[in-house]
Amino acid sequence: MSESSKSLMPAVLVKEYAYCPRYAYFMLFLNGVDRITESMRSSLESHVEHYRDVVINLCNGYSVYFEYHMSSNSLGIHGVIDAVCVGGEVIVVDLKPLSRVTKRSLMGRHRHFLYQVVAYSMIAEEVFKRSVKRAYILAKDGPLEVRITPALKREVVGIINELRRMVMREDLPRSMAEGWKCNYCVFKRFCLPMRDAMVR
């Protein structure tokens, strides 16, 4: 990683902040906490190799770069993108092999996945100096095409700005307080007591 990349925020924080702002806060400010769940560990170990042929077929005739580190100085973020296809156009592919993702779920419970692939697409635009019109989320039931729109880009920039303010102020953000999210959260032993204290 270059020296300039070290001062940039990880792009994955866009996804985490959209999921729960407090989760992103704990990722940044809590050291020594194992944030990797068993399902995440299994995915990290196998998903790129397992889906390599699927991605190559999806981007037929394109040059495909796997686990490609890219950074955007203008956005102030960097990350390792699962796959970038470069040919007649630039296409970002984000792998979510353990999740059932649909067009409908991207508007609701998986909205954070949508913001992540849009953020990666925006980084790719800066790196390759070309507009990215579409991306794919390769989920459990196969590839799902995502159109990269100006409106989605503005939403992602808004999240990045909120992240930047959180980092500068080091303020504990609001809790999402959604039970189904909290039940699976690796930070709940820190977060829930704080939330309960604030409610009293």
Side-chain angles (χ1 to χ4, degrees), residues 18-31:
Y19 185 77
C20 175
R22 196 169 281 188
Y23 190 97
Y25 175 89
F26 287 131
M27 279 190 72
L28 278 168
F29 295 112
L30 276 185
N31 296 318

PDB file of all heavy atoms in Angstrom, residues 18-31:
ATOM      1  N   ALA A  18     -23.493   2.727   6.368  1.00  0.00           N
ATOM      2  CA  ALA A  18     -24.863   2.633   5.860  1.00  0.00           C
ATOM      3  C   ALA A  18     -25.649   1.556   6.605  1.00  0.00           C
ATOM      4  O   ALA A  18     -26.860   1.678   6.806  1.00  0.00           O
ATOM      5  CB  ALA A  18     -24.852   2.343   4.362  1.00  0.00           C
ATOM      6  N   TYR A  19     -24.959   0.508   7.025  1.00  0.00           N
ATOM      7  CA  TYR A  19     -25.602  -0.568   7.786  1.00  0.00           C
ATOM      8  C   TYR A  19     -25.939  -0.099   9.195  1.00  0.00           C
ATOM      9  O   TYR A  19     -27.057  -0.251   9.677  1.00  0.00           O
ATOM     10  CB  TYR A  19     -24.672  -1.776   7.829  1.00  0.00           C
ATOM     11  CG  TYR A  19     -25.266  -2.992   8.486  1.00  0.00           C
ATOM     12  CD1 TYR A  19     -26.193  -3.780   7.814  1.00  0.00           C
ATOM     13  CD2 TYR A  19     -24.877  -3.365   9.780  1.00  0.00           C
ATOM     14  CE1 TYR A  19     -26.727  -4.911   8.414  1.00  0.00           C
ATOM     15  CE2 TYR A  19     -25.405  -4.493  10.386  1.00  0.00           C
ATOM     16  CZ  TYR A  19     -26.333  -5.266   9.700  1.00  0.00           C
ATOM     17  OH  TYR A  19     -26.857  -6.382  10.299  1.00  0.00           O
ATOM     18  N   CYS A  20     -24.935   0.492   9.857  1.00  0.00           N
ATOM     19  CA  CYS A  20     -25.122   1.068  11.193  1.00  0.00           C
ATOM     20  C   CYS A  20     -23.952   2.005  11.465  1.00  0.00           C
ATOM     21  O   CYS A  20     -22.809   1.554  11.515  1.00  0.00           O
ATOM     22  CB  CYS A  20     -25.175  -0.031  12.252  1.00  0.00           C
ATOM     23  SG  CYS A  20     -25.258   0.626  13.940  1.00  0.00           S
ATOM     24  N   PRO A  21     -24.199   3.297  11.623  1.00  0.00           N
ATOM     25  CA  PRO A  21     -23.107   4.246  11.862  1.00  0.00           C
ATOM     26  C   PRO A  21     -22.221   3.872  13.039  1.00  0.00           C
ATOM     27  O   PRO A  21     -21.013   4.068  13.016  1.00  0.00           O
ATOM     28  CB  PRO A  21     -23.836   5.568  12.113  1.00  0.00           C
ATOM     29  CG  PRO A  21     -25.118   5.425  11.367  1.00  0.00           C
ATOM     30  CD  PRO A  21     -25.498   3.979  11.518  1.00  0.00           C
ATOM     31  N   ARG A  22     -22.831   3.294  14.070  1.00  0.00           N
ATOM     32  CA  ARG A  22     -22.041   2.945  15.248  1.00  0.00           C
ATOM     33  C   ARG A  22     -21.090   1.777  14.955  1.00  0.00           C
ATOM     34  O   ARG A  22     -20.011   1.691  15.522  1.00  0.00           O
ATOM     35  CB  ARG A  22     -22.969   2.612  16.421  1.00  0.00           C
ATOM     36  CG  ARG A  22     -22.242   2.620  17.734  1.00  0.00           C
ATOM     37  CD  ARG A  22     -23.178   2.569  18.904  1.00  0.00           C
ATOM     38  NE  ARG A  22     -23.760   3.865  19.190  1.00  0.00           N
ATOM     39  CZ  ARG A  22     -24.496   4.134  20.258  1.00  0.00           C
ATOM     40  NH1 ARG A  22     -24.730   3.180  21.140  1.00  0.00           N
ATOM     41  NH2 ARG A  22     -24.995   5.332  20.454  1.00  0.00           N
ATOM     42  N   TYR A  23     -21.488   0.888  14.053  1.00  0.00           N
ATOM     43  CA  TYR A  23     -20.607  -0.215  13.662  1.00  0.00           C
ATOM     44  C   TYR A  23     -19.334   0.341  13.024  1.00  0.00           C
ATOM     45  O   TYR A  23     -18.224  -0.093  13.339  1.00  0.00           O
ATOM     46  CB  TYR A  23     -21.330  -1.149  12.687  1.00  0.00           C
ATOM     47  CG  TYR A  23     -20.606  -2.439  12.419  1.00  0.00           C
ATOM     48  CD1 TYR A  23     -20.931  -3.592  13.112  1.00  0.00           C
ATOM     49  CD2 TYR A  23     -19.587  -2.508  11.475  1.00  0.00           C
ATOM     50  CE1 TYR A  23     -20.260  -4.782  12.879  1.00  0.00           C
ATOM     51  CE2 TYR A  23     -18.910  -3.689  11.240  1.00  0.00           C
ATOM     52  CZ  TYR A  23     -19.251  -4.826  11.940  1.00  0.00           C
ATOM     53  OH  TYR A  23     -18.574  -5.993  11.708  1.00  0.00           O
ATOM     54  N   ALA A  24     -19.502   1.315  12.132  1.00  0.00           N
ATOM     55  CA  ALA A  24     -18.336   1.949  11.502  1.00  0.00           C
ATOM     56  C   ALA A  24     -17.463   2.632  12.545  1.00  0.00           C
ATOM     57  O   ALA A  24     -16.232   2.578  12.471  1.00  0.00           O
ATOM     58  CB  ALA A  24     -18.791   2.952  10.444  1.00  0.00           C
ATOM     59  N   TYR A  25     -18.089   3.273  13.524  1.00  0.00           N
ATOM     60  CA  TYR A  25     -17.340   3.944  14.598  1.00  0.00           C
ATOM     61  C   TYR A  25     -16.470   2.946  15.351  1.00  0.00           C
ATOM     62  O   TYR A  25     -15.277   3.172  15.574  1.00  0.00           O
ATOM     63  CB  TYR A  25     -18.329   4.618  15.551  1.00  0.00           C
ATOM     64  CG  TYR A  25     -17.684   5.241  16.767  1.00  0.00           C
ATOM     65  CD1 TYR A  25     -17.242   6.567  16.738  1.00  0.00           C
ATOM     66  CD2 TYR A  25     -17.517   4.516  17.945  1.00  0.00           C
ATOM     67  CE1 TYR A  25     -16.639   7.140  17.852  1.00  0.00           C
ATOM     68  CE2 TYR A  25     -16.927   5.080  19.061  1.00  0.00           C
ATOM     69  CZ  TYR A  25     -16.496   6.396  19.005  1.00  0.00           C
ATOM     70  OH  TYR A  25     -15.904   6.954  20.106  1.00  0.00           O
ATOM     71  N   PHE A  26     -17.060   1.814  15.742  1.00  0.00           N
ATOM     72  CA  PHE A  26     -16.295   0.816  16.491  1.00  0.00           C
ATOM     73  C   PHE A  26     -15.190   0.211  15.640  1.00  0.00           C
ATOM     74  O   PHE A  26     -14.110  -0.107  16.151  1.00  0.00           O
ATOM     75  CB  PHE A  26     -17.222  -0.275  17.023  1.00  0.00           C
ATOM     76  CG  PHE A  26     -18.090   0.169  18.175  1.00  0.00           C
ATOM     77  CD1 PHE A  26     -19.453  -0.072  18.169  1.00  0.00           C
ATOM     78  CD2 PHE A  26     -17.540   0.828  19.261  1.00  0.00           C
ATOM     79  CE1 PHE A  26     -20.250   0.333  19.222  1.00  0.00           C
ATOM     80  CE2 PHE A  26     -18.324   1.239  20.329  1.00  0.00           C
ATOM     81  CZ  PHE A  26     -19.694   0.988  20.304  1.00  0.00           C
ATOM     82  N   MET A  27     -15.428   0.026  14.353  1.00  0.00           N
ATOM     83  CA  MET A  27     -14.373  -0.479  13.466  1.00  0.00           C
ATOM     84  C   MET A  27     -13.166   0.446  13.473  1.00  0.00           C
ATOM     85  O   MET A  27     -12.021   0.002  13.439  1.00  0.00           O
ATOM     86  CB  MET A  27     -14.901  -0.630  12.037  1.00  0.00           C
ATOM     87  CG  MET A  27     -15.681  -1.897  11.779  1.00  0.00           C
ATOM     88  SD  MET A  27     -16.019  -2.144  10.017  1.00  0.00           S
ATOM     89  CE  MET A  27     -14.395  -2.581   9.418  1.00  0.00           C
ATOM     90  N   LEU A  28     -13.430   1.744  13.503  1.00  0.00           N
ATOM     91  CA  LEU A  28     -12.347   2.726  13.456  1.00  0.00           C
ATOM     92  C   LEU A  28     -11.634   2.900  14.793  1.00  0.00           C
ATOM     93  O   LEU A  28     -10.408   3.026  14.841  1.00  0.00           O
ATOM     94  CB  LEU A  28     -12.904   4.083  13.013  1.00  0.00           C
ATOM     95  CG  LEU A  28     -13.095   4.281  11.518  1.00  0.00           C
ATOM     96  CD1 LEU A  28     -13.916   5.530  11.251  1.00  0.00           C
ATOM     97  CD2 LEU A  28     -11.754   4.371  10.812  1.00  0.00           C
ATOM     98  N   PHE A  29     -12.390   2.901  15.881  1.00  0.00           N
ATOM     99  CA  PHE A  29     -11.828   3.338  17.154  1.00  0.00           C
ATOM    100  C   PHE A  29     -11.597   2.235  18.189  1.00  0.00           C
ATOM    101  O   PHE A  29     -11.006   2.493  19.233  1.00  0.00           O
ATOM    102  CB  PHE A  29     -12.705   4.433  17.765  1.00  0.00           C
ATOM    103  CG  PHE A  29     -12.726   5.695  16.943  1.00  0.00           C
ATOM    104  CD1 PHE A  29     -13.884   6.107  16.291  1.00  0.00           C
ATOM    105  CD2 PHE A  29     -11.579   6.462  16.795  1.00  0.00           C
ATOM    106  CE1 PHE A  29     -13.900   7.266  15.527  1.00  0.00           C
ATOM    107  CE2 PHE A  29     -11.590   7.625  16.029  1.00  0.00           C
ATOM    108  CZ  PHE A  29     -12.753   8.022  15.397  1.00  0.00           C
ATOM    109  N   LEU A  30     -12.058   1.015  17.925  1.00  0.00           N
ATOM    110  CA  LEU A  30     -11.790  -0.086  18.853  1.00  0.00           C
ATOM    111  C   LEU A  30     -10.697  -0.966  18.280  1.00  0.00           C
ATOM    112  O   LEU A  30     -10.850  -1.550  17.216  1.00  0.00           O
ATOM    113  CB  LEU A  30     -13.051  -0.928  19.076  1.00  0.00           C
ATOM    114  CG  LEU A  30     -14.045  -0.449  20.130  1.00  0.00           C
ATOM    115  CD1 LEU A  30     -15.151  -1.478  20.293  1.00  0.00           C
ATOM    116  CD2 LEU A  30     -13.387  -0.184  21.473  1.00  0.00           C
ATOM    117  N   ASN A  31      -9.595  -1.063  18.982  1.00  0.00           N
ATOM    118  CA  ASN A  31      -8.493  -1.923  18.545  1.00  0.00           C
ATOM    119  C   ASN A  31      -8.528  -3.241  19.310  1.00  0.00           C
ATOM    120  O   ASN A  31      -8.986  -3.302  20.442  1.00  0.00           O
ATOM    121  CB  ASN A  31      -7.144  -1.222  18.787  1.00  0.00           C
ATOM    122  CG  ASN A  31      -6.993   0.026  17.956  1.00  0.00           C
ATOM    123  OD1 ASN A  31      -7.353   0.035  16.785  1.00  0.00           O
ATOM    124  ND2 ASN A  31      -6.468   1.081  18.554  1.00  0.00           N
TER     125      ASN A  31
END
